Amino acid sequence: MNTPYQNTHYLTSAPSVKNAPPDEGFEVAFAGRSNAGKSSAINVITQQKALARVSKTPGRTQMLNFFRVDDERRLVDLPGYGYAQVPEAIQKTWRQALETYFSERRSLRGVFLVMDIRHPLTPFDHRMIEWCRHWELPLHIALTKADKLSRGGALQTLRKVEAELNAQEGLKVTLQLFSALKRLGLEEACAVLDRWLEMPQSHAV
Ligand code: GDP
């Protein structure tokens, strides 16, 4: 399947919203705890082997990594840390930068949160979910590495996570199974991005 995101390319990295590209058009932010499978998901969606690798390059791991879809649309890769291994001072900077980004960025249309299906709802995820609820940002969750579980096991986890989140008042959330390895759920993921980014119909899958 071709996606309308295959011409996406790296635009710039910014340590804070102040240094971000102009706040115009449409943006979707990708979040995920390190190792959740976020880079692999971005690479499958954009059909590029290593697009998201740039965000892991030393010096670019800082805050906001922007990828250009077209003149009006961007995907933004957010760093996956904020917990564990990372020094408290860096976590604090990360929290402040992301809170400012979530609260002030007008072009931000939704957050695409990637979770490893075997370890869903980590403290990192709960923080992202809470911010989306608080700032009234639409949230889509991709439970990735679904290939690691049986179909039944994957669906069971999906329902469990869904039930837990639906109990949270004021949260606008949708969920799906995903596998970068098997390209499972790619169409569903692109449909969410198309909707949030208001992709012209002719481009949409
Ligand atoms: P990130 O730190 O969230 O960007 O995670 P990566 O995309 O780098 O993936 C972390 C590890 O999980 C890598 O070893 C990937 O090969 C593996 N991985 C990512 N997505 C999948 C998937 O859908 N299925 C399987 N089996 N492994 C995956």
Side-chain angles (χ1 to χ4, degrees):
M1 185 186 103
N2 284 336
T3 79
Y5 300 99
Q6 57 198 337
N7 295 323
T8 303
H9 62 256
Y10 175 73
L11 188 61
T12 186
S13 296
S16 73
V17 180
K18 277 204 307 284
N19 318 89
D23 192 4
E24 296 160 359
F26 310 90
E27 224 163 77
V28 171
F30 282 75
R33 206 189 93 137
S34 8
N35 227 33
K38 174 169 55 90
S39 308
S40 305
I42 294 174
N43 289 341
V44 166
I45 288 166
T46 56
Q47 296 190 296
Q48 297 186 26
K49 285 206 177 74
L51 184 66
R53 195 180 294 158
V54 290
S55 323
K56 290 190 174 178
T57 316
R60 286 194 179 149
T61 48
Q62 279 308 307
M63 290 302 156
L64 310 159
N65 299 287
F66 292 86
F67 301 100
R68 180 190 176 282
V69 175
D70 60 30
D71 282 348
E72 290 183 280
R73 298 171 177 86
R74 295 169 299 278
L75 305 180
V76 187
D77 188 2
L78 307 177
Y81 52 69
Y83 280 91
Q85 317 95 350
V86 181
E88 174 53 29
I90 295 182
Q91 289 188 37
K92 196 171 161 206
T93 312
W94 173 86
R95 280 197 295 270
Q96 285 166 348
L98 285 202
E99 282 204 71
T100 309
Y101 174 67
F102 276 45
S103 60
E104 292 181 3
R105 191 78 172 166
R106 298 171 69 92
S107 51
L108 179 61
R109 294 307 164 103
V111 175
F112 191 106
L113 178 60
V114 178
M115 293 184 199
D116 184 329
I117 193 158
R118 298 165 303 170
H119 315 287
L121 298 173
T122 62
F124 174 95
D125 300 323
H126 279 297
R127 169 153 276 160
M128 288 294 149
I129 292 164
E130 176 49 28
W131 282 349
C132 288
R133 197 192 58 73
H134 185 79
W135 305 114
E136 296 178 0
L137 279 167
L139 171 67
H140 183 73
I141 295 177
L143 292 170
T144 193
K145 309 192 195 178
D147 57 277
K148 296 264 192 189
L149 301 183
S150 67
R151 176 83 186 152
L155 283 170
Q156 203 178 2
T157 306
L158 180 78
R159 288 195 202 103
K160 214 170 130 201
V161 174
E162 196 166 30
E164 185 166 338
L165 297 183
N166 282 341
Q168 294 196 22
E169 218 171 295
L171 181 67
K172 281 187 261 175
V173 63
T174 48
L175 292 97
Q176 71 161 111
L177 297 178
F178 192 84
S179 164
L181 192 72
K182 304 277 185 205
R183 301 167 65 87
L184 173 88
L186 183 54
E187 232 168 286
E188 209 175 331
C190 287
V192 172
L193 299 178
D194 291 351
R195 185 157 46 81
W196 283 349
L197 294 170
E198 298 188 23
M199 288 294 273
Q201 277 304 309
S202 56
H203 290 195
V205 272

